[in-house]
Amino acid sequence: MVELYDDERLDYLLGEELKIIQSPSVFSFSLDAVLLSKFTHVPIRKGKLIDLCTGNGVIPLFLSTRTNGEIMGIEIQERLYEMATRSVAFNKLEERVSLLHGDIKDMPRILGRHQFDVVTCNPPYFESLPTSEKNPNEHYAIARHEIKCNLEDVVRVSSQLVKQGGKVSLVHRPERLLDIVMYMREYGIEPKRIQLVYPKQGKEANILLIEGIRDGKKGLKILPPFIVYRDDDTYTAEMNELIYGK
Amino acid sequence: MVELYDDERLDYLLGEELKIIQSPSVFSFSLDAVLLSKFTHVPIRKGKLIDLCTGNGVIPLFLSTRTNGEIMGIEIQERLYEMATRSVAFNKLEERVSLLHGDIKDMPRILGRHQFDVVTCNPPYFESLPTSEKNPNEHYAIARHEIKCNLEDVVRVSSQLVKQGGKVSLVHRPERLLDIVMYMREYGIEPKRIQLVYPKQGKEANILLIEGIRDGKKGLKILPPFIVYRDDDTYTAEMNELIYGK
């Protein structure tokens, strides 16, 4: 049983047994979150994972299918935090997945430094614009624009939360690649794996996945290209595997 | 007429009318040089272009088919410089293509600063190893290992040679991506276009193409993936176009 408010729906998580509360007027998860959930390395049997800017909790829910560790999600918008909490309860995951309502910038003080094996984040992608140009829906505006936190905050906080040798995985737009790698190196995270997502063969990349290791050694790999659609507009094999499972 | 020494051969430049002198024991051009020659932006009608670490002159020869500007190639190994000079003469390109025998690090002093619209370079990829582990063939060792110049030298010299607003294009290994973008930004070249070359769908990238603009504005594009082989080991359409022309 779950209570649904306003225009909320209970959707299946793609390819999983789990369900998630979404709302077209408040927040729905994107392909980006799914890609990040499958891209990041996770410790399988135990460990502590934290997802920053967790929204409706999509990444913690996906991660719960890949690890038996403890997963925490941080969300600054109370409405989304509350949706995520109900989704976790509906899936009976309260023992392994917890949500915290607050600002990511306060988390190193609240949760302590260097406590997590993995930090993930699907942050707001767009720099903060003059108010007039923002998404008029405040929930989407905060999720998409750098209003409450910017890219440097995300990398700095990730670096403070992750253990030495732990992993930080982000999804972002390719045009921010240089800023991400500069901030990572500035804050002691060595970029180790990059994957580029192309909508179709012959098109520019539109999603960037990047994972770094706190105090890691140099050595970057660029993983195979992830292409979403074939030329005939059907999904590629890797996309089918991503959303329907093997 | 052309004189060929030792084991030299006169090969066709892939997909072009031009011929080039190569030698299996001294230097043969690679796919990397072809990719860079087609990747870089060039001014079509006029302008000054310079290719650093030019080897047997493969990049100047390819560029001569894309621009009517003046092209200069710099090579530190006299044997290769001399091969390149004979190839240019054989193709009757002396009026537009010139070679200079010397160290790239001396070129800003010899040629003057900020005189070129385009700088290209296919530099040595491998960090300099203890002598025992180097390629025992000295010609190949200098072409492949950072013996006479390293990545920072290449980026610094490129930055000194290129005009404000001019382009610097490099081909390298993907694992050096971070070093390249850090050096580019350090020396005032803003990375603008990246293309990753994957040997096959499902494989990690093995060649990186990157172009930056001297004092350029921020804004990076990641071009469509370039995949060399199809699953059945035949060339992809983009590879056929690259080596046989449209």
Side-chain angles (χ1 to χ4, degrees), chain A residues 222-240:
Chain A
I222 300 192
L223 303 192
F226 188 103
I227 300 176
V228 177
Y229 290 104
R230 287 187 236 262
D231 285 344
D232 63 3
D233 291 325
T234 59
Y235 283 149
T236 58
E238 58 262 33
M239 185 67 181
N240 274 318

Side-chain angles (χ1 to χ4, degrees), chain A residues 21 56 80-90 94 99-100:
Chain A
I21 299 169
N56 67 344
L80 299 187
Y81 155 77
E82 198 274 327
M83 276 166 78
T85 303
R86 279 182 290 137
S87 287
V88 167
F90 178 81
E94 298 97 323
L99 283 309
L100 203 154

Side-chain angles (χ1 to χ4, degrees), chain A residues 55-150:
Chain A
N56 67 344
V58 54
I59 290 173
L61 290 173
F62 270 118
L63 291 178
S64 75
T65 68
R66 298 187 57 209
T67 177
N68 287 316
E70 292 170 45
I71 306 162
M72 181 171 275
I74 310 298
E75 176 52 42
I76 199 166
Q77 295 197 61
E78 188 161 15
R79 178 79 175 84
L80 299 187
Y81 155 77
E82 198 274 327
M83 276 166 78
T85 303
R86 279 182 290 137
S87 287
V88 167
F90 178 81
N91 291 295
K92 301 194 177 19
L93 286 166
E94 298 97 323
E95 289 197 5
R96 294 201 291 123
V97 180
S98 58
L99 283 309
L100 203 154
H101 174 219
D103 187 328
I104 64 165
K105 297 190 285 294
D106 297 330
M107 292 304 132
R109 181 175 51 76
I110 293 173
L111 301 174
R113 289 182 172 232
H114 310 305
Q115 299 296 311
F116 293 88
D117 299 286
V118 175
V119 181
T120 55
C121 186
N122 177 6
Y125 288 160
F126 304 108
E127 297 186 57
S128 202
L129 299 169
T131 313
S132 58
E133 296 183 39
K134 270 174 211 152
N135 195 316
N137 177 320
E138 196 202 359
H139 294 300
Y140 277 99
I142 291 173
R144 290 181 178 173
H145 293 270
E146 296 187 329
I147 297 167
K148 301 285 189 184
C149 69
N150 62 29

Side-chain angles (χ1 to χ4, degrees), chain A residues 174-175 177-179 181-182 185 190-191 196 198 201-205 218 220-225 227 238, chain B residues 174-175 177-179 181-182 185 190-191 196 198 201-205 218 220-225 227 238:
Chain A
E175 47 266 45
L177 170 62
L178 303 182
D179 294 327
V181 300
M182 305 284 274
R185 282 207 164 162
E190 182 63 24
L196 290 155
Y198 303 87
Q201 178 64 38
K203 300 285 184 188
E204 290 176 7
K218 274 194 187 185
L220 176 72
K221 285 194 173 184
I222 300 192
L223 303 192
I227 300 176
E238 58 262 33
Chain B
E175 50 266 41
L177 170 61
L178 303 182
D179 294 326
V181 300
M182 307 283 277
R185 281 206 165 162
E190 182 63 25
L196 290 155
Y198 303 88
Q201 179 65 37
K203 299 286 185 189
E204 291 175 8
K218 273 195 188 188
L220 176 72
K221 286 193 173 184
I222 300 191
L223 303 193
I227 301 176
E238 59 263 34

Side-chain angles (χ1 to χ4, degrees), chain B residues 189-215:
Chain B
I189 302 166
E190 182 63 25
K192 300 291 287 181
R193 295 161 71 232
I194 285 177
Q195 188 167 35
L196 290 155
V197 181
Y198 303 88
K200 199 179 265 197
Q201 179 65 37
K203 299 286 185 189
E204 291 175 8
N206 61 351
I207 303 173
L208 166 74
L209 297 159
I210 182 165
E211 183 179 82
I213 295 186
R214 184 74 165 98
D215 303 322

Side-chain angles (χ1 to χ4, degrees), chain B residues 145-190:
Chain B
H145 292 271
E146 295 185 331
I147 296 167
K148 301 285 187 183
C149 69
N150 63 28
L151 180 55
E152 183 170 3
D153 296 328
V154 166
V155 176
R156 188 188 63 250
V157 168
S158 297
S159 170
Q160 290 167 343
L161 291 172
V162 74
K163 287 181 186 169
Q164 192 181 23
K167 303 206 165 65
V168 175
S169 294
L170 307 178
V171 58
H172 218 294
R173 294 290 172 109
E175 50 266 41
R176 300 300 292 277
L177 170 61
L178 303 182
D179 294 326
I180 295 171
V181 300
M182 307 283 277
Y183 286 134
M184 279 188 160
R185 281 206 165 162
E186 183 176 337
Y187 290 106
I189 302 166
E190 182 63 25

